[in-house]
Amino acid sequence: SPFEMMGDKYANCVRRYLGVEGKGAVKESFRLLVALCMNAVDEAVGQEDEEKWLTKLDATGWLEHVRYVLKGALCASRLVDGGHSVVIRCRRGWDRTPLITSLVMLLLDPYYRTLRGMQILIEQEWIRFGHKFSVRSGIAPGDPKQRAPLFLLWLDCVWQLTRQFPMSFEFNERFLLTLLWHLFSCRFGTFLATCERERTTLELERQTVSLWSYMSQSSMRKQYTNPFYDIAASDRILKPSANRRALA
């Protein structure tokens, strides 16, 4: 059962399974999604109608992953907003856990919807928390089975939020795409290594440039700023829809 009491020692606690799948399932859905998009590029315009495209998109399972992550974050945010304490964990702690926690913080706290707040959120919940960026992105040599687009899945979830609440985020789509690009570019040290110990050993802070320094330049901020951002509209708890029709 998704609702399971955890014994006498935790009589007032309830364990809830959120249905967010692991890296293997996410990786396979992404592979199918990429194949679908590549086929669409090769086909003549107008050859496949929108209904068939959406059916094939649904078959990849990618939006189902997005939906479950959004549902999980919404569930946790409602509990926190209701005054309850919430512990979020997955088997290892560095993959699905930040997927949920970082979205919960975006829903609850408008500060993390700003350019600076988003950078702090990623640094805190993903980088410092120990998400294996180099391994999951495939930058580091190793077992290909360990690669998985989990951070990309999270960025997709964030993008879905920006579509549903276009006035509540200071950053725009270009900001998210830049994050994704430099996840693989190796131009900055921000997404290199797999944990804080590795970053310290490799002296990345001294030997590389931070992506945040680059993106925080005044000339760059203009490119990443959402012109429709309204501080008043942002100053509230977000309650997104995880309905399939609400996702794109």
Side-chain angles (χ1 to χ4, degrees):
S1 171
F3 302 94
E4 181 180 339
M5 295 306 295
M6 296 190 293
D8 296 337
K9 293 184 68 175
Y10 303 97
N12 295 318
C13 295
V14 176
R15 183 167 62 192
R16 182 172 299 184
Y17 178 66
L18 298 178
V20 179
E21 296 194 74
K23 64 179 187 297
V26 174
K27 181 179 179 179
E28 176 60 16
S29 291
F30 184 66
R31 184 189 67 79
L32 295 172
L33 178 64
V34 171
L36 175 62
C37 292
M38 294 299 292
N39 289 336
V41 170
D42 293 336
E43 292 174 355
V45 177
Q47 186 174 342
E48 185 174 51
D49 60 31
E50 184 178 356
E51 186 175 345
K52 288 183 179 179
W53 161 260
L54 293 176
T55 299
K56 290 183 177 182
L57 174 61
D58 190 55
T60 68
W62 180 260
L63 288 182
E64 195 70 0
H65 294 302
V66 172
R67 193 168 73 86
Y68 273 103
V69 173
L70 288 175
K71 282 180 63 178
L74 183 59
C75 172
S77 67
R78 283 174 172 168
L79 288 170
V80 173
D81 185 44
H84 301 283
S85 296
V86 177
V87 176
I88 299 171
R89 67 175 295 273
C90 66
R91 184 178 179 183
R92 297 294 183 184
W94 50 59
D95 285 330
R96 283 172 287 180
T97 300
L99 268 174
I100 300 295
T101 59
S102 50
L103 276 182
V104 170
M105 295 171 76
L106 275 174
L107 297 180
L108 294 175
D109 194 336
Y111 175 71
Y112 294 113
R113 300 174 215 148
T114 64
L115 284 163
R116 180 58 179 162
M118 181 66 158
Q119 295 171 12
I120 292 175
L121 180 65
I122 294 171
E123 189 75 28
Q124 173 181 294
E125 295 298 305
W126 287 88
I127 297 173
R128 304 292 178 182
F129 201 74
H131 181 67
K132 297 184 175 184
F133 278 104
S134 292
V135 173
R136 296 292 184 253
S137 65
I139 293 172
D143 186 359
K145 293 180 180 179
Q146 295 301 315
R147 299 177 185 175
L150 295 163
F151 187 65
L152 188 155
L153 174 61
W154 181 72
L155 290 178
D156 194 342
C157 292
V158 176
W159 182 76
Q160 301 287 347
L161 294 179
T162 64
R163 286 186 67 256
Q164 294 189 34
F165 306 97
M167 300 174 67
S168 297
F169 292 83
E170 186 182 16
F171 53 85
N172 58 19
E173 181 180 273
R174 185 169 188 173
F175 178 85
L176 299 176
L177 289 172
T178 300
L179 290 175
L180 182 59
W181 176 265
H182 290 300
L183 172 63
F184 299 98
S185 73
C186 298
R187 179 180 173 185
F188 302 97
T190 305
F191 296 130
L192 298 181
T194 61
C195 63
E196 195 61 25
R197 184 180 66 177
E198 270 191 27
R199 294 185 190 91
T200 302
T201 301
L202 296 172
E203 299 184 314
L204 290 181
E205 188 172 338
R206 183 178 66 84
Q207 299 195 51
T208 65
V209 178
S210 168
L211 175 60
W212 312 135
S213 299
Y214 169 76
M215 298 183 76
S216 297
Q217 298 177 75
S218 57
S219 59
M220 301 305 296
R221 283 181 62 89
K222 295 178 182 178
Q223 299 180 36
Y224 302 135
T225 300
N226 173 18
F228 304 108
Y229 176 60
D230 185 340
I231 296 179
S234 177
D235 191 21
R236 62 189 176 95
I237 295 175
L238 302 183
K239 298 178 181 179
S241 171
N243 189 288
R244 291 185 181 181
R245 293 185 178 182
L247 305 181

